[in-house]
Amino acid sequence: MPQLPAPAYPAEVRARLEADAKEVIARYPDSRSALLPLLHLVQSEEGYVSRTGMALCAELLGLTTAEVTAVATFYTMYRRRPSGDYQVGVCTNTLCAVMGGDAIFDRLKQHLGLGNNETTEDGKVTLEHIECNAACDFAPVVMVNWEFFDNQTPESATQLVDDLIAGRTVEPTRGAPLCSYKETARILAGFPDQRPGAVEATGGAGPASLVGLRLAKGEELHPKVVAPRGESARSEAPQDRPQPGAQHLSSHDAPQQTSASDPDHPAGPAAEEGE
């Protein structure tokens, strides 16, 4: 059914958002490029991207509300309805799932009495499954307002949400201290995190995630030896190990006898259908 026009922000809220939006838009040579951070900006106001917020973005950028809605509904980091102070995302992608992510998500659904993308009655916690948190080295991973809580178990994740609901301080495994979802949205809009020590707080990726960076810097990695098909793996003395850069065939890459390479089994002409 057709909807009535979105209600306007109160005058003081609109004035404040317009001032912030002008600062964001000025960063880009094409104002349309500011749409993503502007959606985070209006999300920081209400905790989700409302129709009012999308209408404001459209007006400020000279876009249609349909164009803004198409973007806001495409990216999952934009909430489409009111959500909790803490967005608890459980990775259920392949590695986290087999390491316990599915069990964590099932436990939290049961413990909180929520389904996916639902919020507790007190408005504290919204629970959702996430396809990937980009932290496979530390699987299974839970994120709260996009901060990492690594190597979780059903028990530790349950304690985590209980602490959030009770208002107790929780510390992410890596990165900046936890803040509310609205505060996170404002930071994602491109405004500085004013909390003391928040910018300096950091935490690197795990060793497996850093292999590409090491290669890009020209570091030599220890060769990984995999026995070709038909040969058993064996221990080698250091002097017997292949030098860096040598090719090591995995079992499924080992050369196989084919009609082109095996004189004892030459390829004959293709048979006619039915012969």
Side-chain angles (χ1 to χ4, degrees):
M1 296 293 293
Q3 292 181 303
L4 295 173
Y9 283 121
E12 66 278 6
V13 173
R14 180 185 172 93
R16 174 164 41 80
L17 289 175
E18 279 190 1
D20 288 340
K22 289 178 181 178
E23 181 179 337
V24 173
I25 294 170
R27 302 170 188 161
Y28 299 91
D30 183 349
S31 64
R32 187 189 185 105
S33 300
L35 178 55
L36 296 181
L38 284 193
L39 287 170
H40 283 299
L41 176 63
V42 297
Q43 184 159 254
S44 73
E45 183 65 32
E46 300 178 84
Y48 73 110
V49 178
S50 65
R51 292 173 56 235
T52 300
M54 288 189 283
L56 179 62
C57 290
E59 178 184 339
L60 295 177
L61 298 177
L63 302 174
T64 66
T65 53
E67 290 173 313
V68 175
T69 302
V71 175
T73 56
F74 181 83
Y75 294 103
T76 58
M77 289 179 73
Y78 300 122
R79 310 301 302 172
R80 294 302 314 283
R81 58 185 180 183
S83 58
D85 295 332
Y86 300 102
Q87 191 80 24
V88 177
V90 182
C91 183
T92 56
N93 212 333
T94 307
L95 184 56
C96 277
V98 300
M99 295 292 287
D102 284 340
I104 291 172
F105 191 52
D106 289 341
R107 173 71 69 84
L108 292 183
K109 285 192 294 183
Q110 180 182 14
H111 181 69
L112 297 171
L114 301 178
N116 186 41
N117 280 326
E118 292 183 354
T119 303
T120 55
E121 291 184 1
D122 59 8
K124 290 286 187 179
V125 169
T126 296
L127 178 66
E128 68 171 342
H129 78 82
I130 297 177
E131 286 301 316
C132 184
N133 281 332
C136 301
D137 292 21
F138 304 103
V141 175
V142 173
M143 294 194 88
V144 180
N145 294 350
W146 311 115
E147 299 295 347
F148 288 104
F149 291 81
D150 301 325
N151 301 310
Q152 292 294 294
T153 65
E155 293 73 24
S156 66
T158 300
Q159 184 63 54
L160 171 60
V161 296
D162 284 348
D163 289 342
L164 293 173
I165 291 172
R168 291 187 284 267
T169 300
V170 299
E171 295 291 340
T173 309
R174 296 171 286 138
L178 198 62
C179 60
S180 73
Y181 190 66
K182 290 182 180 180
E183 292 171 319
T184 301
R186 183 170 177 82
I187 295 168
L188 290 173
F191 293 93
D193 190 339
Q194 302 288 355
R195 296 174 298 160
V199 175
E200 292 76 17
T202 184
S209 296
L210 296 175
V211 169
L213 178 62
R214 293 173 60 193
L215 288 172
K217 291 181 176 180
E219 297 181 23
E220 291 187 349
L221 305 180
H222 191 284
K224 183 176 181 181
V225 179
V226 180
R229 183 177 295 157
E231 296 183 16
S232 59
R234 60 186 177 88
S235 299
E236 296 178 332
Q239 64 271 18
D240 297 329
R241 292 175 183 156
Q243 295 301 309
Q247 296 296 317
H248 304 294
L249 300 172
S250 69
S251 60
H252 52 78
D253 289 329
Q256 303 298 303
Q257 293 293 339
T258 66
S259 59
S261 62
D262 186 359
D264 295 331
H265 299 86
E272 296 293 334
E273 183 176 358
E275 293 186 6

